[in-house]
Amino acid sequence: MTNNLTPEESRQKLDKIFSDLTRSLKIKDELARFWIFILAMFTIVGLWGWMHQMRIGLGITGMRDYVSWGMYIGNFVFFVAVSLIGLLISSILHLLKFDWGQPISRVAETVAIAAIALAGLVIVMDMGRPDRFLNIFLHGRFASPIVWDVTVITTYVTISALLFFIPLIPDVAMLRDRLGDDVPILQKKLYAILSLGWKGNARQFEIVTHTVRILLVLIIPVGLSIHTVTSWLFASTLRAGWDSTIFGPYFVTGAFVAGSAAVILVMYVYRLRYDLDEYFTNKSFDMMGKLLVLMCLVYFYFNINEFLVPGYKMRLAEGVHLRELFTGRWSTLFWVVQIFGVIIPILLPLLRYFRRPLPLTLIAFLTLVASWFKRFIIVVPTLEHPYLPIQNVPENFVHYSPTAPEIMITLLPFFASAIIITMLAKLFPVITIWEYAEKQGIDKKYLLEEPEK
Amino acid sequence: MDNHNTRRNFLKTAGLALGCLGLAMPERVFGSGGKVLDADGDTITLLTPGGQLVKVEKSKLKPAEMPSLTENQKRGREGLPNRSWVMVIDLSKCRNARKCMAACQAHHQLRPEQHHMNTLQMQDAEHTAPYYMPKNCMHCDNPPCTKVCPVNATFKRSDGIVLIDNERCIGCRFCIAACPYSARVFNWFEPRDAEKYKDVTYNIEANVPQKKGTISKCLFSADLLRVGKLPSCVSACPNGVYWFGDQNEDAVTNGTTKETTSFSKLIRDNAGYTLMKELGTKPRVYYLPPKNRAFPFEGEIQKHE
């Protein structure tokens, strides 16, 4: 930074940044309590649904022998997809030195952690025998893509958690030293423990910067793997509609679309709720809007490849599948998803007006919803059209329609991830304070000083 | 597998068979001729392995030792030595009697909507003649299902059978997604007669008792093969559709006529083929084309929408 601040200016500026960014921690937040209460209630309803499912069997869902994967698997793919944004924003943007990504990187990591943690739960909820979950480790068979998925997801969770925690240490030390009686004593204790005795000397900062840099490089192959392997759960079968060689990149780019949308949404809520207009600026939204357009353009390209090439040939089984998507039973959902999940987020944010915070957030919301249904439409229609005819079974085996308990269980991870994101925002600053202060030209030596009373 | 062989195998394993079957399903033992020759009042006439007829008091009868679950699972994974089971389904003989489906459901304790063996009404192209096609697990030599199983709960045995261990299956249903023949079913609810069989030791070679939350499918009645009998569906067919046997011996036996013939000759003379060979799964179930049909196709072909 070139602008030279006087010590007095630095201290004042840091005090303001600190007080702005810790507002979420300090305010007596009845609304947040109510919000968490409501979320917890819905989560409990979902858990009750799951208990019911474990007692009766997976038959309480709309899934049957032919459509044997339904909303749960779609949900799993969605949550894995959203978690990939941690990789894009905190790693790729950072390594390419896009400065505007810095204030957003903790938002991205928060979303990533919440999403990937819940993805793990979702896949267990889809199991017929969750009580035998440990068999994957006891009898794991390495030829199965599920084993690869478990391996890379566990690694991704670990790296994401470290990427959230390590840059947090200097911040937590500031919270430990600067926060007074405005937070509960237990919370102060937590900060004292998590700061790991941080003193803020140059050597410590060097270690943090160095470690984070290694993690940022490591997370790229791991992140790409989680979603590529997830796509192989489908692409490794012989089914028409899944048997595709571009499923890996198709899923990864789709994940960046869904993740960008989720981050825009969370950013907007933080900005509004905690008065952070100066931090999540109009420029942040402007740039996120451009990022969304770019990702959607790449995704659009993969969509064309995925549908046009087999659609040109219309081979027997693929032809049946594509006809169902384009003009048949699934056509309404298919076109709505393509328009709101790909076309609109390309066209509208091209105009500056739609990259302003509120319009962009509305577009992001629609894109996120469309992204969920996109996963649904990747999973279900293919299974409705096996190679051999579906005969001698009841009507509900032929077409899939989800049941009420199934929908409750599907919604559970949304509420639970919202709880995780809210709790993290109530415990830790939503932007990395020390990095942000450094960008503003404030020397590190002021960070651990006692604030002026 | 000729009749003599069947009989000798039976004699060798009679005790074990009686034990296994007796414990699991007594009505089958007493219902099928050959083993219990006469039963009146308090005594029962049995055939010993030495070929003698003996009278035994019913009260003295004890079930033979069932192999323990672990032993059953271990034995079930290995397969019968030097065997290579094949099935031939003659489509020109099928008249949709569905005796195979019923026998299969009875043997494997399946619910009415669960089919290890399913007789489909097929029509290959718009103007081609429709026909009936019994379809079970193809017991592929390159099985797409066993590859994807994360816990090795479904596996390929040395005798060619693709089997499932329901005590290990985690119910992820990846194998259902992977199977192009829709051969696999899932226990979405508590299985049929779960209460009745809750104390019965699980038999990996018949998938019985069925287990909630796990996969099931055709196993070529591996438990019956072990005691030298033909699979349930094969013996139940009234129309001579099924041939079953050992490829190593190049011999298959018709389930209805009990006639034994050369497998390779049967396939050669009748232009035998396998389903969806282009997928490279290498099925062990062969079909003979529906040519010179013994019965007319009745009914209406279901539109596949």
Side-chain angles (χ1 to χ4, degrees), chain A residues 39-296:
Chain A
L39 291 174
M41 283 296 115
F42 279 108
T43 307
I44 287 167
V45 171
L47 282 176
W48 176 83
W50 189 24
M51 294 300 143
H52 180 60
Q53 175 180 297
M54 285 199 272
R55 200 171 57 245
I56 307 290
L58 272 174
I60 66 154
T61 67
M63 296 185 280
R64 286 299 180 266
D65 289 343
Y66 294 89
V67 184
S68 58
W69 280 350
M71 282 174 107
Y72 296 163
I73 294 288
N75 218 20
F76 169 71
V77 178
F78 176 79
F79 275 90
V80 174
V82 167
S83 82
L84 218 57
I85 196 62
L87 155 77
L88 178 66
I89 290 185
S90 51
S91 173
I92 294 179
L93 291 188
H94 185 91
L95 293 175
L96 294 176
K97 302 202 190 316
F98 285 109
D99 277 352
W100 63 268
Q102 189 275 325
I104 306 172
S105 67
R106 188 167 287 163
V107 179
E109 279 312 322
T110 309
V111 170
I113 289 175
I116 198 72
L118 269 305
L121 180 70
V122 170
I123 202 68
V124 177
M125 293 197 297
D126 183 68
M127 286 167 57
R129 296 302 292 252
D131 52 313
R132 294 183 184 167
F133 177 74
L134 285 179
N135 278 8
I136 294 177
F137 303 99
L138 296 174
H139 304 290
R141 194 165 170 282
F142 203 70
S144 169
I146 288 187
V147 173
W148 311 343
D149 219 14
V150 170
T151 312
V152 287
I153 285 182
T154 324
T155 318
Y156 189 73
V157 169
T158 315
I159 299 183
S160 294
L162 286 174
L163 264 182
F164 182 82
F165 178 64
I166 293 177
L168 188 69
I169 299 172
D171 276 8
V172 172
M174 287 175 80
L175 298 175
R176 173 195 67 191
D177 298 341
R178 286 172 169 250
L179 283 180
D181 298 335
D182 31 11
V183 295
I185 191 83
L186 222 61
Q187 204 168 327
K188 290 271 287 178
K189 280 226 172 78
L190 179 73
Y191 296 141
I193 296 168
L194 289 182
S195 63
L196 305 177
W198 179 264
K199 291 198 181 63
N201 56 41
R203 174 84 186 119
Q204 284 183 323
F205 272 110
E206 198 184 309
I207 294 174
V208 164
T209 319
H210 194 65
T211 315
V212 167
R213 209 171 172 75
I214 292 174
L215 289 174
L216 287 180
V217 175
L218 269 183
I219 201 170
I220 294 177
V222 177
L224 289 178
S225 306
I226 59 165
H227 217 43
T228 308
V229 171
T230 302
S231 82
W232 290 348
L233 297 184
F234 307 97
S236 62
T237 69
L238 297 161
R239 301 255 179 182
W242 290 352
D243 184 1
S244 159
T245 52
I246 64 161
F247 250 39
Y250 176 53
F251 270 47
V252 168
T253 45
F256 287 154
V257 171
S260 305
V263 163
I264 291 170
L265 212 60
V266 175
M267 252 167 72
Y268 186 76
V269 173
Y270 284 167
R271 169 177 154 125
L272 198 70
R273 180 74 192 128
Y274 302 127
D275 272 331
L276 297 176
D277 299 28
E278 291 171 47
Y279 301 86
F280 299 120
T281 57
N282 286 357
K283 181 170 182 250
S284 308
F285 283 88
D286 186 70
M287 295 308 283
M288 279 308 290
K290 287 176 179 165
L291 185 70
L292 185 65
V293 171
L294 175 65
M295 290 306 144
C296 286

Side-chain angles (χ1 to χ4, degrees), chain B residues 68-102:
Chain B
S68 71
L69 177 62
T70 337
E71 203 182 315
N72 179 283
Q73 282 170 311
K74 187 168 170 285
R75 186 177 81 177
R77 274 189 186 259
E78 278 160 11
L80 301 171
N82 304 320
R83 296 292 190 185
S84 181
W85 304 113
V86 282
M87 181 183 264
V88 181
I89 300 178
D90 186 350
L91 297 179
S92 68
K93 298 273 181 0
C94 182
R95 67 170 176 91
N96 200 20
R98 302 199 168 190
K99 299 284 188 236
C100 52
M101 291 169 70

Side-chain angles (χ1 to χ4, degrees), chain A residues 65-66 391-394, chain B residues 98 101 104-105 110-119 135-136 182-185 216-218:
Chain A
D65 289 343
Y66 294 89
Q391 287 174 9
N392 310 322
V393 288
Chain B
R98 302 199 168 190
M101 291 169 70
C104 173
Q105 290 191 326
L110 297 171
R111 286 165 170 264
E113 70 274 15
Q114 294 179 306
H115 307 294
H116 286 184
M117 175 60 79
N118 196 359
T119 308
K135 186 262 318 173
N136 53 327
S182 307
R184 289 169 169 259
V185 299
S216 185
K217 68 162 191 72
C218 161

